[in-house]
Amino acid sequence: MIPGQIPTIRMLKQYVPEKAKWYFSRLTSMSVDEVFYRIQQRTNIEIDRRFSATEASWQRDRQVVLPSQPLEVKVGLETVEHETVRQTYIELYPENYEALIHKAEALLEHKMELFGFSVDLGKEINWHQDPKTKRIWPREFWANIDIRDGSKIGGVKWVWELNRHHHLVTLAKAFYLTDDEKYAHEVCSQLRGWISTNPVHVGVNWTTSLEPAIRLINWTWVLAFLSSYDSFDESLLQDIYGAIDQQANYIFRYESKHSSANNHLIGEAAGLVVAGLSFPFLNPASKWAEHGLRTLEREVGKQILEDGTSVEQAFHYLAFTLDFCLIAWRVAELNSLPLPPIWVSRLESAADFLCSVMDEKGMVPHIGDSDDAWVLCLDDLPHPNNFSSLVTSASFVCNNMHLQHPSCDWDEKNFWLFGPQGKDRLDTLTPSEQDPLFAHSKLLPDGGYAILRSADRLALFDWGPLGYLSTAAHGHADALSLTITLGDQPVLIDSGTYAYQEGGAWRDFLRSTRAHNTIVIDDCDQSEMLGAFLWGQRANATLLQWDFTDEYDLVVAEHDGYAQFGIIHRRAILFGKPDCIIVMDWIFGSGTHKVEQLWHFSPESQIDWEGRKDASITIQCNHKHITIVALEREGLEVSTCSGKENPLQGWASSTYAQISPAPVVALSGHVSLPFQTSVAFDFGACERSRLTHWRDKLLSLLQL
């Protein structure tokens, strides 16, 4: 530091030892109130540590009063005669039934799929073992376990995914539909084993409150499907209800608050609502339900914005949040509880937004983090679509047929949530005479997105903030990025997520600016990474101009992520309907800097380019094609790559834990600022004159 200069946090951070950097960065992201809250939580931890050390079963020994009808759980199944549900299901979903039995038979042998990988859990399931690496997490007091370092044992998500017990719902459902007790026996065996090897506060399955919340929701459905099973003994029921009591109280005691109050808090609240309303005979049940409902009322309005977008800037986590809310809503409805109007309003907006960005298959772009998580898996087909399923649920809940997307139907998940009568009720809704909401271009000012549509062409322009709260945990450095979908085929893509704690360099790359369709200056990110789920200095984007017409859509925005270099990046997108998108970039500043404009294409794409001087590059993706034409690129060289390892470039992850080479087109060079460049994306074999016409049209429309 310069003598006499007042040190800033960023200056001081370079003097902090490596091991303490994360803690230093995390502490500086907290408010004063949060620091005091964390101190209070630390006190709770030390109290629990003392009890766990002296009497590991101190809560397990607490008896619960068993209800007179212990397996009557309100999830909707009990409102229709069992045989009617079974016959209707088999008639409506014969393929699902076949897939269910096939999966259940494999589960009897402890074989299952996690994140697309086949795993064998062995004769006796070790609930603390990473299913992929086979290394075992320590059975210690939960606060002693470091879940951030995936290099020692493996990514904690793998063992958490197993312990969410989605597969027990499959086994219980197989019993419900077949009356074959072998499936129920296996569920009971696994529950007994889990409870005995996961005493309260001990092990990796107690290291976050979200995991017990998801587990409680799944256990609720397991018990509902086992309602006709006569072989439950009282001691097992005592253990199950005792474990429900422990997990719900743990959630209540260790909620995710302040800078951690993202989708985790909504999930925890939903878990408390479901457990509290489904097991009212447990002494604190009314307290769980009331607290969970109050939390959801507050957080739904915070985390789902008025235009339906996710405050976390991650499309997957919007669906995750929506899933929790819909399940909690359904359980509350079955218990005749009135719900606040903001619930319906925000769920409707979220479903509208998802419709607006869906392709013809009902899939949405990978924006922000995604870990492929489900709350409740009620559809056992190999690749169910949770996005279209949630939109169908919302159209049912909100009584709004206007939300229906062509890809949405009454899938198995909605069958189980709303019963055989649900589809009849949905069919009585009057279709809207208006054009579908998803057929139009749209500006989403709260989330910071522009949806540009024409026929089957969809472009999404991202000018939103980095993420939510001080950590921005699930955001990516993607300001002014663009994605393009043609029909059912993502062509210009966001590179995805791949992995969390075990991701290492991949985690950093896929969150970086270099993994997105925007501009990189001097090989630096727009925003500063401080940890796997922690950001420091971040880019702030601003919408400058927009205009949507039948002939064209225009959006202009800029960000200050390179302000430390005295640089502002401005981008204008003009969609000349129906077959051309012009992207014009301005780099405002002074001096000479390295500028790199990047375009990432789906792994299925093939690039046809042999270094032609006109920099015209054709990308073929299955039955779709798109051509990039560099209209202005003085000082920039064109290059392509795929699957490059040093440095990482040209990779895409469409699902968690899987990554593939994917082609990237780069226009890069050292140029003097200010600098301007423009490219055209041609979907329809346009003449060069048509492309330049739209470029000139863009310039004429600018009001800056």
Side-chain angles (χ1 to χ4, degrees):
M1 288 186 293
I2 300 171
Q5 183 178 17
I6 299 174
T8 65
I9 289 175
R10 296 192 73 186
M11 292 175 182
L12 290 172
K13 195 168 63 177
Q14 63 183 307
Y15 300 103
V16 178
E18 189 65 33
K19 290 184 180 180
K21 279 188 177 179
W22 184 88
Y23 291 100
F24 185 88
S25 299
R26 189 68 182 89
L27 180 63
T28 57
S29 72
M30 296 181 188
S31 65
V32 173
D33 287 345
E34 179 170 5
V35 170
F36 281 107
Y37 171 75
R38 299 293 176 184
I39 292 172
Q40 178 188 5
Q41 290 295 83
R42 176 53 60 179
T43 303
N44 290 342
I45 287 171
E46 294 308 318
I47 292 171
D48 291 344
R49 187 198 306 276
R50 179 166 59 86
F51 275 107
S52 296
T54 57
E55 189 179 353
S57 61
W58 70 284
Q59 272 191 298
R60 179 67 44 76
D61 291 337
R62 183 173 59 194
Q63 297 293 304
V64 296
V65 178
L66 295 178
S68 57
Q69 295 179 318
L71 289 182
E72 185 176 303
V73 183
K74 278 191 176 181
V75 296
L77 297 178
E78 69 284 351
T79 62
V80 183
E81 201 273 328
H82 186 168
E83 188 59 30
T84 299
V85 177
R86 179 160 42 197
Q87 291 301 321
T88 305
Y89 169 83
I90 293 173
E91 290 173 9
L92 288 175
Y93 308 106
E95 292 182 13
N96 302 56
Y97 180 74
E98 184 178 341
L100 167 70
I101 300 304
H102 177 76
K103 186 184 290 186
E105 289 296 315
L107 289 171
L108 292 176
E109 299 178 6
H110 297 174
K111 296 177 180 177
M112 63 191 302
E113 280 201 1
L114 289 176
F115 303 122
F117 291 85
S118 297
V119 296
D120 189 336
L121 302 175
K123 185 176 181 180
E124 185 172 342
I125 299 175
N126 186 335
W127 298 104
H128 302 267
Q129 184 177 55
D130 184 302
K132 185 181 181 184
T133 67
K134 302 303 181 183
R135 286 177 279 184
I136 297 173
W137 287 85
R139 292 184 62 184
E140 300 176 5
F141 181 69
W142 68 268
N144 295 344
I145 301 173
D146 182 7
I147 62 173
R148 291 188 302 275
D149 187 356
S151 63
K152 295 177 181 178
I153 297 173
V156 71
K157 270 202 61 63
W158 289 83
V159 69
W160 280 350
E161 189 72 14
L162 169 65
N163 284 271
R164 289 178 174 183
H165 290 172
H166 296 302
H167 68 285
L168 294 188
V169 176
T170 297
L171 285 165
K173 185 169 61 169
F175 166 75
Y176 182 87
L177 291 169
T178 66
D179 286 330
D180 192 331
E181 292 196 346
K182 67 182 179 182
Y183 301 119
H185 291 332
E186 181 63 28
V187 172
C188 292
S189 174
Q190 291 195 29
L191 283 175
R192 187 180 285 110
W194 191 92
I195 292 168
S196 67
T197 57
N198 287 272
V200 65
H201 299 154
V202 177
V204 70
N205 297 313
W206 293 93
T207 51
T208 174
S209 295
L210 181 63
E211 298 309 309
I214 296 174
R215 197 156 45 241
L216 286 177
I217 291 171
N218 281 286
W219 281 20
T220 300
W221 276 89
V222 165
L223 293 177
F225 280 128
L226 295 184
S227 58
S228 62
Y229 182 52
D230 298 326
S231 299
F232 268 114
D233 60 73
E234 186 170 319
S235 65
L236 177 57
L237 284 175
Q238 190 78 51
D239 284 346
I240 291 172
Y241 291 133
I244 290 171
D245 183 58
Q246 291 166 6
Q247 292 177 89
N249 278 315
Y250 176 87
I251 297 166
F252 192 85
R253 191 170 172 83
Y254 292 107
E255 280 187 304
S256 300
K257 292 185 176 180
H258 295 284
S259 61
S260 299
N262 55 7
N263 67 85
H264 282 226
L265 183 56
I266 282 185
E268 292 155 12
L272 289 176
V273 170
V274 171
L277 296 179
S278 300
F279 308 104
F281 51 86
L282 296 176
N283 186 42
S286 61
K287 178 179 68 175
W288 303 335
E290 290 169 7
H291 180 75
L293 287 169
R294 283 198 307 270
T295 301
L296 285 175
E297 180 178 3
R298 181 183 69 246
E299 292 300 318
V300 164
K302 287 183 178 180
Q303 297 197 37
I304 300 177
L305 299 174
E306 193 170 351
D307 60 13
T309 54
S310 166
V311 73
E312 293 194 78
Q313 298 294 311
F315 290 6
H316 162 82
Y317 283 101
L318 174 63
F320 199 42
T321 297
L322 189 58
D323 213 352
F324 278 120
C325 293
L326 286 165
I327 291 167
W329 176 90
R330 178 56 173 156
V331 174
E333 181 193 47
L334 290 167
N335 285 272
S336 303
L337 291 179
L339 296 175
I342 194 171
W343 268 36
V344 174
S345 171
R346 293 300 163 89
L347 298 186
E348 189 171 26
S349 296
D352 174 17
F353 168 69
L354 290 176
C355 274
S356 299
V357 295
M358 279 181 175
D359 65 20
E360 291 182 353
K361 289 182 179 177
M363 301 304 294
V364 305
H366 290 281
I367 305 296
D369 273 349
S370 171
D371 64 3
D372 295 348
W374 288 61
V375 178
L376 181 64
C377 297
L378 291 170
D379 190 329
D380 289 290
L381 287 176
H383 302 288
N385 185 335
N386 199 29
F387 292 106
S388 59
S389 178
L390 288 168
V391 169
T392 298
S393 298
S395 63
F396 177 87
V397 167
C398 302
N399 291 310
N400 187 352
M401 194 65 180
H402 197 30
L403 293 174
Q404 286 285 54
H405 187 276
S407 68
C408 299
D409 61 8
W410 193 254
D411 64 323
E412 183 184 349
K413 182 180 177 185
N414 281 292
F415 173 86
W416 292 116
L417 281 177
F418 303 110
Q421 70 278 19
K423 188 175 188 306
D424 294 336
R425 176 175 148 188
L426 187 69
D427 289 343
T428 63
L429 297 180
T430 303
S432 172
E433 295 180 359
Q434 301 172 330
D435 290 336
L437 291 170
F438 55 83
H440 299 287
S441 298
K442 185 184 301 184
L443 192 77
L444 300 154
D446 300 319
Y449 302 102
I451 300 168
L452 315 177
R453 275 192 175 274
S454 179
D456 66 344
R457 288 89 188 261
L458 165 65
L460 181 72
F461 181 44
D462 180 354
W463 48 273
L466 177 68
Y468 186 42
L469 301 173
S470 59
T471 61
H474 290 299
H476 288 191
D478 58 1
L480 309 192
S481 186
L482 175 73
T483 62
I484 297 175
T485 301
L486 303 180
D488 61 0
Q489 183 63 57
V491 179
L492 190 65
I493 64 167
D494 183 293
S495 298
T497 300
Y498 177 56
Y500 286 161
Q501 291 86 357
E502 75 273 32
W506 293 103
R507 173 72 173 144
D508 290 346
F509 165 67
L510 289 165
R511 291 188 300 156
S512 74
T513 306
R514 289 180 56 78
H516 297 87
N517 302 311
T518 186
I519 295 279
V520 178
I521 305 292
D522 292 340
D523 295 320
C524 294
D525 285 320
Q526 304 162 343
S527 298
E528 178 191 20
M529 292 184 203
L530 299 179
F533 297 96
L534 183 62
W535 293 86
Q537 179 182 342
R538 59 195 67 182
N540 298 297
T542 305
L543 178 68
L544 301 176
Q545 182 181 343
W546 66 280
D547 186 21
F548 293 165
T549 73
D550 292 338
E551 180 189 8
Y552 64 83
D553 296 329
L554 173 69
V555 186
V556 187
E558 66 183 22
H559 77 82
D560 64 358
Y562 296 114
Q564 68 269 34
F565 303 133
I567 291 173
I568 295 293
H569 172 207
R570 179 179 297 171
R571 170 167 282 184
I573 308 285
L574 186 137
F575 186 5
K577 300 177 182 180
D579 52 12
C580 173
I581 289 179
I582 305 294
V583 180
M584 186 168 289
D585 287 305
W586 294 268
I587 313 299
F588 297 112
S590 60
T592 300
H593 294 268
K594 182 181 178 182
V595 172
E596 191 171 15
Q597 185 189 66
L598 294 160
W599 304 110
H600 298 260
F601 294 90
S602 63
E604 300 82 8
S605 302
Q606 295 181 334
I607 291 182
D608 177 17
W609 180 62
E610 297 178 355
R612 291 188 293 271
K613 291 183 178 180
D614 65 354
S616 174
I617 304 173
T618 298
I619 295 90
Q620 186 74 29
C621 188
N622 293 332
H623 56 289
K624 306 292 183 182
H625 75 274
I626 188 170
T627 301
I628 305 178
V629 179
L631 301 177
E632 296 173 274
R633 66 179 185 95
E634 185 177 352
L636 301 182
E637 295 295 326
V638 180
S639 63
T640 65
C641 75
S642 179
K644 186 178 178 182
E645 295 186 359
N646 188 21
L648 290 175
Q649 187 54 281
W651 299 90
S653 175
S654 58
T655 58
Y656 193 82
Q658 299 186 40
I659 196 161
S660 305
V664 175
V665 175
L667 287 79
S668 60
H670 289 82
V671 298
S672 296
L673 304 189
F675 178 77
Q676 175 181 322
T677 183
S678 62
V679 300
F681 291 90
D682 173 14
F683 315 138
C686 299
E687 295 289 337
R688 179 73 177 227
S689 59
R690 179 168 171 77
L691 303 180
T692 54
H693 160 75
W694 283 117
R695 189 268 315 276
D696 295 342
K697 178 75 170 179
L698 186 159
L699 290 170
S700 71
L701 292 169
L702 292 177
Q703 300 172 0
L704 307 173

